[in-house]
Amino acid sequence: MGKVVKVIELVGTSQHNWTDAVENAVTEASKTVDDILGCEVTNFTANIQDGRVMEYKADCKIAFAVH
Amino acid sequence: MGKVVKVIELVGTSQHNWTDAVENAVTEASKTVDDILGCEVTNFTANIQDGRVMEYKADCKIAFAVH
Amino acid sequence: MGKVVKVIELVGTSQHNWTDAVENAVTEASKTVDDILGCEVTNFTANIQDGRVMEYKADCKIAFAVH
Amino acid sequence: MGKVVKVIELVGTSQHNWTDAVENAVTEASKTVDDILGCEVTNFTANIQDGRVMEYKADCKIAFAVH
Amino acid sequence: MGKVVKVIELVGTSQHNWTDAVENAVTEASKTVDDILGCEVTNFTANIQDGRVMEYKADCKIAFAVH
Amino acid sequence: MGKVVKVIELVGTSQHNWTDAVENAVTEASKTVDDILGCEVTNFTANIQDGRVMEYKADCKIAFAVH
Amino acid sequence: MGKVVKVIELVGTSQHNWTDAVENAVTEASKTVDDILGCEVTNFTANIQDGRVMEYKADCKIAFAVH
Amino acid sequence: MGKVVKVIELVGTSQHNWTDAVENAVTEASKTVDDILGCEVTNFTANIQDGRVMEYKADCKIAFAVH
Amino acid sequence: MGKVVKVIELVGTSQHNWTDAVENAVTEASKTVDDILGCEVTNFTANIQDGRVMEYKADCKIAFAVH
Amino acid sequence: MGKVVKVIELVGTSQHNWTDAVENAVTEASKTVDDILGCEVTNFTANIQDGRVMEYKADCKIAFAVH
Amino acid sequence: MGKVVKVIELVGTSQHNWTDAVENAVTEASKTVDDILGCEVTNFTANIQDGRVMEYKADCKIAFAVH
Amino acid sequence: MGKVVKVIELVGTSQHNWTDAVENAVTEASKTVDDILGCEVTNFTANIQDGRVMEYKADCKIAFAVH
């Protein structure tokens, strides 16, 4: 049977930038999942306070192999 | 590391209306997940019998904090 | 041959709320169609007068079995 | 006046596969419409029972000339 | 009960331009339907021959009151 | 010259339901705008606390005549 | 700091055609805004009476420089 | 309380065709989930080597009842 | 083997109107391609100067047979 | 410098089925391109004559490495 | 009455990168608006000259509380 | 005749970040095309190995003037 891949959705956050937010999501996913293959960022948002970006948020679809 | 949020998809149903269907989805999610933050309703459908709505269905994306 | 389902688009309206608007669309469809199976609401709009909602409108895709 | 084409939406079903489901929708449409020109499949779904696909369903937009 | 509006999809064509193609679709619809309220053009295409547009085609969603 | 309509985006909120959230957005708009014609709800979300919906939120596109 | 552009949404109307409707929207915007850069038409609709188009409507996103 | 349905996303693969890829995803899901109701295929892709399709891939949203 | 059609994307421009902009795109394509079959307009934009449209722009997907 | 991938759009056709239509598009692309990596099918349509599918058509985005 | 949030669209630009472009849009908005809550980036584009990116542009939907 | 712009799709990659991936795509395009005007990034993905991003990938639509 062909291999099967599962896709989950995580929102990573960071005080620094969106790339860091994505890496945080991937790091979190890798705590419970072994074989992450890739990710797609589907939304870029930010929380703002006093006219400055306080938190970068990246919606991530993360794909990993199912064994 | 910035906090991470997980998003799952549930379809709530109700014999009464869509708001009730969404609340049923949230209640079901809260049985196994502690820290639900919000939800987005992405689709509103209904099952119909004898020309009347029998079941309201709401596709919900439910977000909760990952600890 | 597998059964075939036809889908038509109706916009229901109501002075009360969107659920009522959807039910009006289903009731209208059931006058000429016997075997309605379900509906999907694809758009929620409203007409407004003097700063108040006068008419709720729901775009409905209504599916029924073809015999 | 230029010719006019009408588009209707049918969901074909089949126990075998999606191509068969589309052909069932086209066959059903051809019972009441003479001059079908083409079709576009906009959604591929399936009903599942006991872990196996029981029914393939194809949402079809079917275009035919209006005389 | 609130009034109900039905929406059908027609593709109008014209050798001249898209506005004319839309008007042809509306004219065709008005042959069999009395109370057309409006239309939305969802797609603009054209057939081309010898490097020139031969036929303008406009996908129209046409709405009319159901009595 | 034909009349012109302006469209603005407001997110209404309510502790009760989405219909109330939409009405709050319309009421807010009507404080500064005279001739509101209609609204379209483009997104339904909710904030959740302790497994219950605390705040219903409706993204509204609100149209009004420009004089 | 890089320049910033603001985008507003206007619906232009015309008894003649959609190009005229867009120009009406741009003309209206230029009454209160100096430095319009461009526009994108996101929706083409029409009001119909007695089987004829009475009003062409064009949803326009209009961009202008913020000084 | 109305029943609740959960939706997960799996990518099935196959060396033969997309229908087989979907069935592989459903079979994989049925190993850990009892009551699968249906699936929707949201994307059809393929890996290619030496000018030939090596692997058919189908993105599947799989729905199952939550007990 | 069935025939194959290639699709390219061109943005046509015109000082006059969008129809002219599309024709310019088709004329440009026909300089290097023989057998153009059709085109789809996917976006209508304009450049504006001194409150007037200076340039109409039409994003065109142009299809031609591959021999 | 990281590798770069180019994506082109071809519509494959077949008298037999959509899988065959996709393979025809890939085969055609492989005549002029060496290193095809994958493809995504973005649209499934068909031409119909006398109530039967005459031609299956698959819109394919085909990706290949740029050397 | 529940609080209401207004959403405006700004395009931020920067010679450096997209994060900087977003921050420029937020800074510009904060000149005239007090209580910005967040932003969503809906489009990433760039102007290019002599084969190099000259200007990064980010379409931002910026939300702020209405008092 | 108005000028015509061609749009091609490239996927740039980088080990460092998405901005670098976009610049790689633009650099590659500029090897064979003289007058690149701009680019739009339509998708942000990444390949992941051992729980870390190995390759950033940016889908770019690159526009250049046709002479």
Side-chain angles (χ1 to χ4, degrees), chain B residues 18 43-46 48 51 56, chain C residues 23 26 36-41 44:
Chain B
W18 280 294
N43 212 207
F44 296 84
T45 58
I48 294 171
Y56 296 86
Chain C
E23 282 164 2
V26 171
I36 302 179
L37 303 168
C39 103
E40 179 183 1
V41 192
F44 296 84

Side-chain angles (χ1 to χ4, degrees), chain B:
Chain B
M1 198 187 85
K3 76 170 190 290
V4 174
V5 170
K6 186 168 184 183
V7 181
I8 57 171
E9 186 174 346
L10 294 181
V11 184
T13 64
S14 161
Q15 291 178 304
H16 307 306
N17 55 59
W18 280 294
T19 303
D20 194 45
V22 172
E23 283 165 2
N24 284 342
V26 171
T27 300
E28 180 64 39
S30 68
K31 288 180 186 168
T32 51
V33 168
D34 273 338
D35 197 358
I36 302 179
L37 304 168
C39 101
E40 179 184 359
V41 191
T42 56
N43 212 207
F44 296 84
T45 58
N47 290 332
I48 294 171
Q49 224 167 13
D50 300 327
R52 298 177 66 88
V53 174
M54 282 300 105
E55 192 180 40
Y56 296 86
K57 299 187 289 185
D59 287 28
C60 302
K61 292 215 160 191
I62 293 176
F64 54 92
V66 176
H67 297 292

Side-chain angles (χ1 to χ4, degrees), chain I residues 20-55:
Chain I
D20 194 46
V22 172
E23 283 164 2
N24 284 342
V26 172
T27 299
E28 179 64 38
S30 68
K31 287 181 188 167
T32 52
V33 168
D34 273 338
D35 196 359
I36 302 179
L37 303 168
C39 102
E40 179 184 359
V41 192
T42 57
N43 212 207
F44 295 83
T45 59
N47 288 334
I48 293 171
Q49 225 167 13
D50 300 327
R52 299 176 65 89
V53 174
M54 282 299 106
E55 190 180 43

